[in-house]
Amino acid sequence: MSSAIIPSSNSDEQPTTRRIRLLSLHLNPPLDHHQQLQLEACSARAKMDVNADKLSTYLRGKHRDIRERIFEYFSSRPDLQTPIEILKDDYRELCLKQLVALVREAGIRPFRYVVEDPAKYFAIIEAVGSVDMSLGIKFGVQYSLWGGSVLNLGTKKHRDKYFEGIDNLEYLGCFAMTELHHGSNVQGIQTIATFDPLTDEFIITTPNDGAIKWWIGNAAVHGKFATVFAKLMLPTHEKNGVSDMGVHAFIVPIRDLKTHKTLPGVEINDCGHKVGLNGVDNGALRFRDVRIPRDNLLNRFGDVSRDGTYTSNLPTINKRFAATLGELVGGRVGLAYSSVGVLKIAATIAIRYSLLRQQFGPPKQPEISILDYQSQQHKLMPMLASTYAFHFATVHLVEKYSQMKKTHDEQLVADVHALSAGLKSYVTSYTAKSLSICREACGGHGYAAVNRFGSLRNDHDIFQTFEGDNTVLLQQVAGDLLKQYQEKFRGGTFAVTWSYLRESMNTYLSQPNPVTARWEGEDHLRDPKFQLDAFRYRTSRLLQSAAVRLRKHTKTLGSFGAWNRCLNHLLTLAESHIETVILENFIEAIKSCPDANSQAALKLVCDLYALNLIWSDIGTYRNVDYVAPNKAKAIHKLADYLSFQVKNIAKELVDAFDLPDNVTRAPIGKQSPSEAYAEYTQYVGF
Amino acid sequence: MSSAIIPSSNSDEQPTTRRIRLLSLHLNPPLDHHQQLQLEACSARAKMDVNADKLSTYLRGKHRDIRERIFEYFSSRPDLQTPIEILKDDYRELCLKQLVALVREAGIRPFRYVVEDPAKYFAIIEAVGSVDMSLGIKFGVQYSLWGGSVLNLGTKKHRDKYFEGIDNLEYLGCFAMTELHHGSNVQGIQTIATFDPLTDEFIITTPNDGAIKWWIGNAAVHGKFATVFAKLMLPTHEKNGVSDMGVHAFIVPIRDLKTHKTLPGVEINDCGHKVGLNGVDNGALRFRDVRIPRDNLLNRFGDVSRDGTYTSNLPTINKRFAATLGELVGGRVGLAYSSVGVLKIAATIAIRYSLLRQQFGPPKQPEISILDYQSQQHKLMPMLASTYAFHFATVHLVEKYSQMKKTHDEQLVADVHALSAGLKSYVTSYTAKSLSICREACGGHGYAAVNRFGSLRNDHDIFQTFEGDNTVLLQQVAGDLLKQYQEKFRGGTFAVTWSYLRESMNTYLSQPNPVTARWEGEDHLRDPKFQLDAFRYRTSRLLQSAAVRLRKHTKTLGSFGAWNRCLNHLLTLAESHIETVILENFIEAIKSCPDANSQAALKLVCDLYALNLIWSDIGTYRNVDYVAPNKAKAIHKLADYLSFQVKNIAKELVDAFDLPDNVTRAPIGKQSPSEAYAEYTQYVGF
C-alpha cells in the first residue's frame, strides 16, 4: 500500500514550526503548479539521449567474450534447447547432454576458474543459467559444490586424484549436506562417520530416517561420488567410547565408475518432481555402514592419523565448522550474481511487451502502450532500477570475492561472508517477487508458457532457499552488524564495508535537522548525499534501537529468546543495510562511467532506486520527523515522475542488458517489436 | 519493509503538544515494562480455548453437504486423481473424464443452480476447484461462461434448445470474447458479425490476425459451440453501407456434433502449454465468413428482425454493452470465492508444516518449531487472519449476488458489480502473493511438487488476469467511488455498501483528533470503532484528495490524462475501500457467531487483520498525525503480539477450514503431524 494523502498545510501548526517551514521554503522554494507543468513538458520533449551499445559496454565488463561464446554455441545447437514441455526423466538426460556438450564440444572447461579466476567462473555460470536454469544448477552442483568442496576442503592428494575427472565430467558428483530433518541448522545433522582403526576406514551411517540426505543434486541418476557431511566420531580410550569431533566432509563413492550401479550399503531414492529445476536429478541417500578409506576425509581443516589421533590448526569445533562453511560462500556469490541475470531476462521481456502492447486510450484516439499507464510504470520501472542497482552490487561482490580468494585477508573474508549472505538473500527475494509481477503485468500472454515467466519463476524460486535460507542469512547480516556495533563501543574499528555506520552513528545521536527535513526541491532530493544520508540514518537508527532492545530483553528472555523477540526488527535492519550497500555501489559505479550520456541515464535510474525505497518506508522517516509532511509528498511525487522519465528510455535500458533473442526466447519479448505478435501467432500454428 | 524505530520522547516538543500528550497518557496509560511482561506471560499460559469443530460449523454454512459429497466422490475414485507429472494432452483428457464423472456418475448437475441457487453453485465450483483447479476452470467455462452466456444473454428459445445439452455435457462449449490484441478493452474487439438479409444469417469474420479469438477455454480440443463476441453490423439503406451496432454475443457451432470435426470456415489452433491450468484446452479461433442462423444471436438486450431492423429496450450502445457485461459478473464472484478456497489450502499446508518442522533452538535445549519464530509468525499469521477476513467477505458477496439474481434491484446490481470487481481483484492478488510466501516459508520441502505449492501457484496465477485484469477492475471500483462522491456533492445518496463514506466524509473534513491520536492502550487499539474509523478515514481522505487532483489535472490533461496522472493514487483508494469493506464484514460476522469461544478467537484474528493493515500503511496515518509516534509504535508492537497469540491457536484455526487430507494432499500438511514425515519418505521410496 502507498498513498498520496498528505495535506499541504496544517492549521494547528506551532509558531516555531511555522517559522522553520517558512525559512526552509525560502531557502528551497517548491515548484509551483505552472513551473511543474513546464518542467514536465520540457523533460518529455527532451528525451534523454542514451546509446544502448555504449551503456552495454560499460555494464558488461571483461567477461563478455566467454558469455557470447556460450550463447553462440547453444544458438548453433537447437537440438540442445529445452522444449517447453518435457517429462522429468527426459529433461534430466537432456540437461546432462547439454552439460557434456558445453564442456566437451564447446570446450568450456570451467573448473580451474573456480579458484583461479572466480569472476570468469561466475560469468560462465550466469550465462549457462540464462540458457537453462536447470543446466546452470547442474553445472553449479558439479563445479561449485562437489568440485568446490574437493578443492576448498580437501588437500593436494584430493586435487591430484579428482581434478581431471571432475573437470571433464567423468566424475560427476554430489554435495550431500542437507538431511530430511536439517537444512539450515547444519550443526544439527545426524549422519555419522566413525573411524575404524582396525581397517583404517571411516564408516558412514544414517542413524535414522531424519538423517537421510535429501535434495542431493546429481544423486538420483548421474552422480558417482558425493561429498558427505557427517559428524566425525573417533574412538576414545574407554571401551566402546567415541568422541564427537563435529561436522566434517568425506568423499563417498556412491556408484560404480564402470557399471554405474549403486554401491553396496548405499540406498538412493529419487526426490521426485519439483516445483522447478526438473532437469536436475535430486535424490535422497541413506548409508548403511558404508566404508571409505581414511584418505577420503577432506582434511584441510582437520585430519585423522593412522592411529586415530585428531589434528587441526584450528582450536575448536566451532572454528573448524566456521572455516568449513566459510569455504562454501562462493555458492552464494554465484546465486546472487545469477539471480540478477534472471531478473534481467524477465524485466526485458516484460518491458518490451509493455511497450508493444496497446490497450485503451483517450476518447476517439488510438490506443496507447500499456507502459504509458502510471500503474504499469509503477510495477516495472522501480524493478528496472533495482536490476541496475543489483547488477553493480553483485559485480562488486564478485570482485571482492576474487580478491579474497587471492589474499585470504581475514577482514575481507568476514566482509565477503556478510555481503554475500545479504545480497544473496535480498536479490533472490526481490527477483522471486518480480517474476510474479512480470507475469501479472503481461496479462494473458504472460501466462503462455512460451513467454517464459512460468519456468523462470519455478526454476528460480528455490534460489531463496538453497545455499542458505534467506531469512537465516539476513540474521547473519544483522548479527554481523551488531557485532560491529558492539566493537565500536568497545573502541574497536568498523570493517570497510560498514564504515558508513561509523560516520552516521554520530549523526544518529543527534536529532534530525528540522531545516533539511523541509527541503523538498528536486536538486536536493536527487542529491546522492541526501539519499545516502537517509539510507544510512535509517540503518543506524535500526541498529541502535535493536541493540537497546536486545540488551533489555536478554535480561528476562535469555539471548535466544531476546533475539527471537526482536527478529522482525533485525530482519528489517539487515535489509536496510543491504539497501544502503547497494545504493553506495550504484553511486560509485555512476562516478566511474566514462560515457556522459550513459552516466546521466544511470543517475536517473539510481535516483528512482533511492527515492522509491525512501518512499516505501516513509512511515519510518515521518515518525522521527526526518522528513516533514510536504517533503514526504515531494518524494512520492518525484518517484512517480522519475518512473515516467525512466519509462522514456526503458527500451534502451533493457537493450543494454544485451540479451539476444535466443536467450530471452519469449516471442512477446522480441527485440524487434514488429516480429513479436507474428512469431507468437506462428508459434500457435497460424 | 517495516521498522520499529520510533522514539519514545521528543526533546523539541512544543508546550501545547506536551500538555495534550500528558493528558492522553492520563486518560489511557500505556503498560509499563513489568505489566507488559505479566500480560504476555499470562496470555501465553491462558491459551485460548478454541473448538475447531464449532468454529468450522459456523464457517461452513448450509452448503457443507454438497461439498463433502464432491470430496468423498473423488476420494473414492483415486484413478481420477491428477498425477504430479502429466503431459498436457493427457491432462486435458483426464480433466474431461473428471468432469464427465462428476456430472454423470456422481450426479452433480450444477447448471440449474447458476441462476436458481448461485450460493450452491459457487459452493460446488469451489469444491471442484479444490480437487483440481483445471477441473474447476473447465467446469466454470462450461457452466458459468458458455452456459451462463446462453442463460443470461439469450432468451427462452436458447434456453429450450441448449439447456439439457449444456447440463449433461453433450454440448461442451466455449466463451470467445478475448482476442489476440484485445483483452481488457472488450469494446475494442474487431471480430465482425454482419447480417445477411438475403439468407437470414449472420456472417462471422475475423478481419485480421489481431482479431483471432485467443485463450478460449474448451476450444483447442473439446468444444462443440462457442459464444462469440463480435461487433454487429447491419446493412443500411445506402449501397454497401453497414452500421456498427456494437458488441453482441452469438452462438457459433465450431465442431460437428457427431464427427467432432472442425466446421468449415472455422480455424482452430492450440494455444499450447500454459504456466498452469494445463488440464484446460485453451485454443485460438479464426472465422472465415462463417454463417450462422439469425436465431443464434443471444438477443436478450438487442435483437435483429427478419428484415434487418434492430430493436432493444436499452437506448444506447453503451447501455447495451454495460447490460451484457453486467450479466457476466457471476464469474468474478466465483473466482473471488474460489481464490479464498485456494488460500485456505495453502495456509493449511504451510501452517501445519511450520508447527511440525523444528530447527535451531536455545543452547543445549531441543530445537523449536519454526512457527515459534517471530519471522515465521510474521509471514503466516497475518495471512491466516486475511484468509478468515476474505472468507466472510466473499460469503457476503455471494449472498448479495444471490439476492440480486432474485430481485434484479438496480442499486444491488451496481453494488454487486463494484464489490465483485474489488474483491476479485484484491483477493486473487493477495492469494497469488501468499502462495509464493507459503512455498518460501516451507523451505526445501515446500519445493517438492508433491507438497502442492507449485501447482497451486501456477494454476491460480491467472486468477489475477482472467474475468477482468485486476488493475483494470480496481479502477472500476475507484470510478464507482468517485461517482458516489460526486453524487453526494450534488445532493444524491450513497449506495448501501459505501454508506460509511457518507459518515466519515464529515469526519474527514475535520482535523484528526489530537487526543485520540495519542491513545495507545490495548483496549482502544482493539476496539472495532478505532479500527473502522482508521480504515474509513484513510479511504475518505484518499477519495477526497483524488477528486481534487482529478479536477485539477483534467483542466490541462483532459479526463483520460488526468485519470492516468492519478492512477496509482486511484488504485490505492480502491484497495483501501475494499479493505474497509472486508473489515466491516468481519466485524459483523463476529457479532453473529453463536459460540463464545469461537467468537473470541475470531475477534483476535480480526484485530490482527486490522492492526496489521494499519501498521502496513503507517506512513499515511503518521503524515496527517492521525496517530502520534508512540501510538504508531504501540500498534506495531500489538500487531506482533497478536501474531504470537494467533500462532497459539493456529492449529485449530486451520483445522476449522475442514479440509480433508485427500484435498490438501501434501504429505507435509497432513492433519496428523506424526504421519507427515513418514508419508513423505514413503512417497520418495523409503
Side-chain angles (χ1 to χ4, degrees):
Chain A
M1 285 185 298
S2 68
S3 119
I5 55 165
I6 301 150
S8 54
S9 73
N10 189 341
S11 61
D12 58 9
E13 201 176 40
Q14 295 300 322
T16 329
T17 322
R18 190 177 310 128
R19 274 198 306 279
I20 294 170
R21 183 169 65 82
L22 294 174
L23 178 66
S24 88
L25 288 174
H26 186 73
L27 290 169
N28 216 323
L31 299 172
D32 69 17
H33 177 63
H34 183 67
Q35 287 171 310
Q36 186 65 35
L37 275 174
Q38 278 192 315
L39 177 75
E40 297 188 18
C42 169
S43 307
R45 268 202 306 277
K47 186 191 145 181
M48 260 187 178
D49 186 18
V50 192
N51 182 313
D53 273 346
K54 284 186 184 165
L55 180 54
S56 194
T57 304
Y58 182 57
L59 289 181
R60 281 174 303 208
K62 60 179 176 173
H63 296 296
R64 181 184 173 184
D65 290 353
I66 195 144
R67 186 168 175 263
E68 284 185 359
R69 214 174 108 201
I70 292 165
F71 288 165
E72 276 163 20
Y73 175 71
F74 282 104
S75 169
S76 74
R77 290 290 305 270
D79 59 307
L80 289 178
Q81 191 180 304
T82 310
I84 287 165
E85 178 169 56
I86 180 168
L87 289 168
K88 168 173 69 69
D89 293 344
D90 299 337
Y91 195 1
R92 289 165 169 188
E93 291 315 309
L94 174 63
C95 196
L96 179 62
K97 210 170 135 189
Q98 291 168 338
L99 181 61
V100 168
L102 181 77
V103 171
R104 297 192 190 153
E105 292 175 28
I108 304 284
R109 295 291 278 262
F111 196 33
R112 70 198 134 129
Y113 305 131
V114 169
V115 174
E116 286 166 26
D117 189 352
K120 188 163 187 174
Y121 178 74
F122 292 126
I124 295 172
I125 203 169
E126 192 258 347
V128 168
S130 298
V131 170
D132 185 298
M133 236 180 291
S134 282
L135 174 61
I137 297 304
K138 197 169 180 83
F139 180 101
V141 168
Q142 175 67 10
Y143 295 114
S144 308
L145 294 181
W146 151 239
S149 64
V150 171
L151 293 187
N152 293 315
L153 303 180
T155 48
K156 186 171 178 298
K157 64 181 175 187
H158 301 110
R159 194 189 156 93
D160 290 347
K161 184 166 176 189
Y162 296 100
F163 192 96
E164 184 57 27
I166 293 173
D167 194 34
N168 68 21
L169 300 176
E170 269 172 39
Y171 294 174
L172 280 169
C174 315
F175 182 83
M177 179 183 268
T178 298
E179 297 176 357
L180 176 62
H181 281 184
H182 288 96
S184 293
N185 186 5
V186 179
Q187 278 188 296
I189 62 167
Q190 298 175 80
T191 302
I192 291 166
T194 311
F195 182 60
D196 180 354
L198 293 177
T199 61
D200 198 22
E201 290 171 322
F202 294 106
I203 308 163
I204 310 290
T205 310
T206 303
N208 57 58
D209 280 2
I212 295 171
K213 293 292 177 186
W214 208 274
W215 290 131
I216 310 307
N218 264 344
V221 187
H222 298 132
K224 304 276 193 198
F225 296 91
T227 293
V228 174
F229 288 80
K231 291 192 289 184
L232 169 61
M233 297 293 184
L234 288 183
T236 59
H237 293 296
E238 294 146 45
K239 199 188 166 203
N240 295 332
V242 284
S243 174
D244 179 352
M245 305 305 294
V247 174
H248 287 68
F250 304 83
I251 296 179
V252 182
I254 58 172
R255 287 192 179 87
D256 187 278
L257 276 177
K258 283 182 191 153
T259 66
H260 202 63
K261 276 195 184 146
T262 304
L263 291 171
V266 180
E267 184 183 0
I268 306 179
N269 279 302
D270 189 336
C271 287
H273 215 76
K274 301 187 295 291
V275 171
L277 296 183
N278 282 303
V280 184
D281 55 319
N282 293 84
L285 296 166
R286 179 163 23 205
F287 302 101
R288 300 185 199 275
D289 297 343
V290 174
R291 288 176 170 267
I292 54 169
R294 185 164 54 91
D295 265 350
N296 285 23
L297 168 65
L298 290 167
N299 59 341
R300 180 167 159 206
F301 296 119
D303 205 356
V304 174
S305 66
R306 178 64 191 88
D307 65 352
T309 310
Y310 188 80
T311 52
S312 171
N313 289 328
L314 298 166
T316 63
I317 285 189
N318 281 345
K319 292 238 174 204
R320 293 191 290 268
F321 183 70
T324 302
L325 290 202
E327 284 302 327
L328 307 174
V329 79
R332 283 176 197 157
V333 176
L335 283 187
Y337 192 79
S338 297
S339 182
V340 182
V342 176
L343 184 56
K344 283 177 186 168
I345 294 175
T348 299
I349 298 169
I351 289 167
R352 284 190 182 148
Y353 176 67
S354 298
L355 285 163
L356 168 73
R357 179 75 171 179
Q358 303 196 320
Q359 205 79 181
F360 296 110
K364 300 185 182 173
Q365 287 179 46
E367 291 186 303
I368 65 171
S369 131
I370 58 173
L371 199 57
D372 284 328
Y373 289 98
Q374 196 184 50
S375 51
Q376 194 81 349
Q377 291 163 20
H378 185 67
K379 287 175 195 172
L380 298 177
M381 294 303 102
M383 185 193 297
L384 180 56
S386 297
T387 311
Y388 268 85
F390 298 168
H391 170 89
F392 293 115
T394 51
V395 164
H396 171 76
L397 172 62
V398 166
E399 279 165 13
K400 281 214 146 187
Y401 178 82
S402 307
Q403 237 177 307
M404 179 196 92
K405 276 287 179 195
K406 273 193 195 119
T407 64
H408 300 281
D409 175 80
E410 202 173 309
Q411 188 51 62
L412 209 50
V413 169
D415 222 25
V416 167
H417 187 267
L419 191 60
S420 64
L423 281 176
K424 183 273 187 185
S425 171
Y426 192 89
V427 170
T428 59
S429 291
Y430 189 95
T431 298
K433 285 192 200 82
S434 299
L435 290 166
S436 284
I437 293 170
C438 286
R439 200 303 293 162
E440 190 269 335
C442 293
H445 298 316
Y447 200 61
V450 70
N451 289 322
R452 300 289 307 278
F453 297 122
S455 58
L456 289 175
R457 178 173 61 194
N458 288 338
D459 288 344
H460 177 277
D461 192 358
I462 199 65
F463 279 45
Q464 300 174 96
T465 303
F466 61 19
E467 301 276 326
D469 175 272
N470 282 357
T471 305
V472 174
L473 291 182
L474 282 181
Q475 291 180 59
Q476 294 182 7
V477 175
D480 193 66
L481 288 167
L482 282 157
K483 211 176 100 195
Q484 306 275 353
Y485 177 83
Q486 281 164 345
E487 277 168 13
K488 176 180 159 64
F489 285 95
R490 275 202 227 102
T493 53
F494 272 77
V496 187
T497 310
W498 319 146
S499 67
Y500 74 87
L501 289 174
R502 190 175 36 209
E503 295 155 32
S504 54
M505 288 309 285
N506 297 327
T507 317
Y508 162 69
L509 296 170
S510 61
Q511 289 297 318
N513 183 329
V515 176
T516 54
R518 284 161 194 280
W519 286 358
E520 57 200 50
E522 186 172 334
D523 285 350
H524 169 65
L525 299 179
R526 298 185 67 173
D527 183 346
K529 182 173 170 357
F530 159 69
Q531 297 163 4
L532 276 174
D533 278 352
F535 276 54
R536 290 167 175 175
Y537 177 81
R538 178 169 176 255
T539 306
S540 303
R541 271 201 83 106
L542 283 163
L543 177 54
Q544 202 266 357
S545 52
V548 169
R549 289 185 65 207
L550 281 172
R551 202 175 305 141
K552 188 184 94 181
H553 288 303
T554 302
K555 289 174 197 154
T556 48
L557 303 171
S559 62
F560 184 86
W563 186 267
N564 194 19
R565 177 67 61 88
C566 301
L567 196 45
N568 293 337
H569 185 154
L570 293 164
L571 297 173
T572 307
L573 163 65
E575 284 170 354
S576 177
H577 170 66
I578 297 300
E579 286 166 356
T580 310
V581 172
I582 292 170
L583 179 63
E584 286 173 338
N585 270 292
F586 202 166
I587 289 170
E588 284 307 308
I590 293 168
K591 283 188 196 156
S592 317
C593 180
D595 173 58
N597 285 342
S598 300
Q599 194 173 43
L602 291 173
K603 174 70 172 68
L604 173 67
V605 170
C606 183
D607 288 342
L608 174 57
Y609 174 77
L611 292 175
N612 179 62
L613 281 180
I614 293 174
W615 173 248
S616 303
D617 197 27
I618 200 69
T620 293
Y621 292 106
R622 279 292 300 119
N623 231 341
V624 292
D625 277 318
Y626 191 88
V627 299
N630 279 346
K631 183 168 189 167
K633 191 177 179 179
I635 290 168
H636 188 191
K637 198 170 175 178
L638 186 54
D640 273 355
Y641 181 57
L642 293 174
S643 278
F644 167 77
Q645 286 199 303
V646 170
K647 184 266 301 182
N648 287 333
I649 55 168
K651 184 193 176 309
E652 291 78 5
L653 288 171
V654 298
D655 286 350
F657 293 148
D658 193 30
L659 290 161
D661 281 344
N662 70 309
V663 171
T664 53
R665 291 212 296 279
I668 61 169
K670 294 281 279 190
Q671 197 154 4
S672 155
S674 62
E675 294 169 27
Y677 278 124
E679 183 168 316
Y680 188 40
T681 45
Q682 271 165 36
Y683 162 75
V684 161
F686 288 100
Chain B
M1 285 185 300
S2 69
S3 119
I5 54 165
I6 302 151
S8 53
S9 73
N10 190 338
S11 60
D12 57 9
E13 200 176 40
Q14 297 299 321
T16 330
T17 322
R18 190 178 310 130
R19 275 198 305 280
I20 294 171
R21 184 169 65 82
L22 294 174
L23 178 66
S24 86
L25 289 176
H26 186 74
L27 290 167
N28 216 323
L31 299 173
D32 69 19
H33 177 61
H34 184 68
Q35 287 171 312
Q36 186 66 34
L37 276 175
Q38 277 193 315
L39 177 75
E40 296 187 17
C42 170
S43 307
R45 267 201 309 276
K47 188 190 145 183
M48 260 186 177
D49 186 19
V50 192
N51 182 311
D53 273 347
K54 284 186 184 166
L55 180 54
S56 193
T57 304
Y58 181 57
L59 289 180
R60 281 174 304 210
K62 61 179 176 175
H63 296 296
R64 182 185 172 182
D65 290 353
I66 196 145
R67 187 169 174 263
E68 285 186 357
R69 215 174 108 200
I70 292 166
F71 289 165
E72 276 161 19
Y73 175 72
F74 282 103
S75 169
S76 75
R77 289 289 306 270
D79 59 307
L80 289 177
Q81 190 181 304
T82 311
I84 285 165
E85 178 169 58
I86 182 168
L87 288 168
K88 167 173 70 70
D89 293 344
D90 298 337
Y91 194 2
R92 288 166 170 188
E93 291 316 308
L94 174 63
C95 195
L96 178 63
K97 210 171 135 190
Q98 291 168 338
L99 182 61
V100 168
L102 180 76
V103 171
R104 297 192 189 152
E105 291 175 28
I108 304 285
R109 295 292 278 260
F111 197 33
R112 68 199 136 127
Y113 305 131
V114 169
V115 174
E116 285 166 26
D117 189 354
K120 188 165 186 170
Y121 178 75
F122 292 125
I124 296 172
I125 202 169
E126 192 259 346
V128 168
S130 298
V131 170
D132 184 299
M133 236 181 289
S134 282
L135 174 61
I137 296 304
K138 197 169 179 86
F139 181 102
V141 168
Q142 174 67 9
Y143 294 114
S144 308
L145 294 180
W146 151 239
S149 66
V150 171
L151 294 186
N152 293 316
L153 303 178
T155 49
K156 186 173 177 299
K157 63 181 176 188
H158 301 112
R159 193 188 156 92
D160 290 347
K161 186 166 174 188
Y162 296 98
F163 190 96
E164 185 58 25
I166 292 173
D167 194 33
N168 67 21
L169 300 176
E170 271 172 39
Y171 294 175
L172 280 169
C174 316
F175 182 82
M177 178 183 269
T178 298
E179 298 176 355
L180 176 63
H181 281 183
H182 288 95
S184 293
N185 186 6
V186 178
Q187 277 188 296
I189 62 168
Q190 298 176 81
T191 302
I192 290 165
T194 312
F195 182 61
D196 180 355
L198 294 178
T199 61
D200 199 21
E201 290 170 322
F202 294 107
I203 307 162
I204 310 289
T205 311
T206 303
N208 58 57
D209 280 2
I212 296 169
K213 294 291 179 187
W214 208 274
W215 290 129
I216 310 307
N218 263 345
V221 186
H222 298 131
K224 304 277 193 196
F225 298 91
T227 293
V228 174
F229 289 80
K231 291 192 289 184
L232 170 61
M233 297 293 185
L234 288 183
T236 59
H237 294 295
E238 297 147 43
K239 201 188 165 202
N240 295 332
V242 283
S243 175
D244 178 352
M245 305 305 293
V247 174
H248 287 67
F250 305 82
I251 295 178
V252 182
I254 58 170
R255 287 192 180 86
D256 187 277
L257 275 177
K258 283 179 193 156
T259 65
H260 202 64
K261 275 196 183 147
T262 304
L263 292 172
V266 180
E267 183 183 2
I268 305 179
N269 280 303
D270 189 338
C271 288
H273 215 76
K274 301 188 293 291
V275 171
L277 295 182
N278 282 303
V280 183
D281 55 318
N282 293 83
L285 296 166
R286 176 158 33 199
F287 302 102
R288 300 185 198 276
D289 296 344
V290 174
R291 289 176 168 267
I292 55 168
R294 184 165 55 90
D295 265 351
N296 286 21
L297 168 66
L298 291 167
N299 60 342
R300 178 166 160 208
F301 296 119
D303 205 356
V304 174
S305 66
R306 177 64 192 91
D307 65 353
T309 310
Y310 188 80
T311 52
S312 170
N313 289 328
L314 298 165
T316 63
I317 284 189
N318 281 345
K319 293 237 175 206
R320 294 191 288 269
F321 182 71
T324 302
L325 289 202
E327 284 302 327
L328 308 175
V329 79
R332 283 176 200 159
V333 177
L335 282 187
Y337 193 78
S338 297
S339 182
V340 182
V342 176
L343 185 56
K344 284 177 185 167
I345 294 175
T348 299
I349 298 169
I351 289 167
R352 285 190 181 148
Y353 176 67
S354 298
L355 285 163
L356 169 72
R357 178 76 172 178
Q358 302 197 320
Q359 205 80 179
F360 295 109
K364 300 185 181 173
Q365 285 181 47
E367 292 187 303
I368 64 171
S369 130
I370 58 173
L371 199 56
D372 283 328
Y373 289 98
Q374 195 184 49
S375 52
Q376 193 82 347
Q377 290 163 20
H378 186 66
K379 286 175 194 170
L380 298 176
M381 294 303 101
M383 184 194 297
L384 179 57
S386 297
T387 312
Y388 268 87
F390 298 168
H391 170 89
F392 293 115
T394 51
V395 164
H396 170 76
L397 172 62
V398 166
E399 279 166 12
K400 281 216 145 185
Y401 178 82
S402 306
Q403 237 178 306
M404 178 197 93
K405 275 288 177 195
K406 274 193 193 120
T407 65
H408 300 282
D409 174 80
E410 204 173 307
Q411 188 52 62
L412 209 48
V413 169
D415 222 23
V416 167
H417 186 266
L419 190 60
S420 64
L423 281 177
K424 183 272 186 187
S425 170
Y426 192 89
V427 170
T428 60
S429 291
Y430 189 94
T431 298
K433 284 190 201 84
S434 299
L435 290 166
S436 283
I437 293 170
C438 285
R439 199 303 294 161
E440 190 268 334
C442 293
H445 299 316
Y447 200 60
V450 69
N451 288 322
R452 299 290 305 278
F453 297 122
S455 59
L456 289 175
R457 176 173 62 193
N458 287 338
D459 289 344
H460 177 277
D461 192 1
I462 199 66
F463 279 45
Q464 300 174 95
T465 303
F466 61 19
E467 300 277 326
D469 174 273
N470 282 357
T471 305
V472 175
L473 291 183
L474 282 181
Q475 291 180 59
Q476 293 181 8
V477 175
D480 193 65
L481 287 168
L482 282 158
K483 211 176 100 195
Q484 306 274 355
Y485 177 82
Q486 280 163 348
E487 275 168 16
K488 176 180 158 64
F489 285 94
R490 277 202 225 102
T493 53
F494 272 79
V496 187
T497 310
W498 319 147
S499 66
Y500 74 86
L501 289 174
R502 189 174 37 207
E503 295 155 34
S504 55
M505 289 309 285
N506 298 326
T507 317
Y508 164 70
L509 296 170
S510 62
Q511 289 298 318
N513 183 328
V515 175
T516 54
R518 285 162 194 278
W519 286 358
E520 56 199 50
E522 185 172 336
D523 285 352
H524 168 65
L525 298 179
R526 297 184 67 172
D527 183 345
K529 184 171 167 2
F530 160 68
Q531 297 163 4
L532 276 174
D533 278 353
F535 276 54
R536 289 166 174 172
Y537 177 81
R538 178 168 177 255
T539 306
S540 303
R541 271 201 84 107
L542 282 163
L543 177 54
Q544 201 264 358
S545 53
V548 170
R549 289 186 63 207
L550 281 172
R551 201 175 306 140
K552 187 183 95 181
H553 288 303
T554 302
K555 288 174 197 155
T556 47
L557 304 171
S559 61
F560 183 87
W563 186 266
N564 194 19
R565 178 66 62 88
C566 302
L567 195 46
N568 292 337
H569 184 155
L570 293 163
L571 297 173
T572 307
L573 163 64
E575 284 171 353
S576 176
H577 169 66
I578 297 300
E579 286 166 356
T580 311
V581 172
I582 292 170
L583 179 63
E584 286 173 337
N585 271 291
F586 203 167
I587 289 169
E588 284 307 308
I590 294 168
K591 282 187 196 154
S592 316
C593 180
D595 173 58
N597 285 342
S598 300
Q599 194 173 42
L602 290 173
K603 174 70 172 66
L604 174 67
V605 170
C606 183
D607 288 342
L608 174 57
Y609 174 77
L611 293 175
N612 180 61
L613 280 180
I614 293 173
W615 173 248
S616 304
D617 197 27
I618 199 71
T620 295
Y621 291 106
R622 279 291 301 119
N623 231 341
V624 293
D625 277 317
Y626 191 87
V627 299
N630 279 347
K631 184 170 189 166
K633 191 179 179 179
I635 290 168
H636 187 191
K637 198 170 176 179
L638 186 54
D640 273 355
Y641 181 57
L642 292 174
S643 278
F644 166 76
Q645 287 199 302
V646 170
K647 184 268 298 182
N648 287 332
I649 55 168
K651 184 193 177 310
E652 291 79 6
L653 288 170
V654 299
D655 285 350
F657 292 148
D658 194 28
L659 290 161
D661 281 344
N662 70 310
V663 171
T664 52
R665 290 211 296 280
I668 61 167
K670 294 281 278 189
Q671 199 154 5
S672 154
S674 62
E675 295 169 26
Y677 278 124
E679 184 168 316
Y680 189 39
T681 45
Q682 270 166 36
Y683 162 76
V684 162
F686 288 99

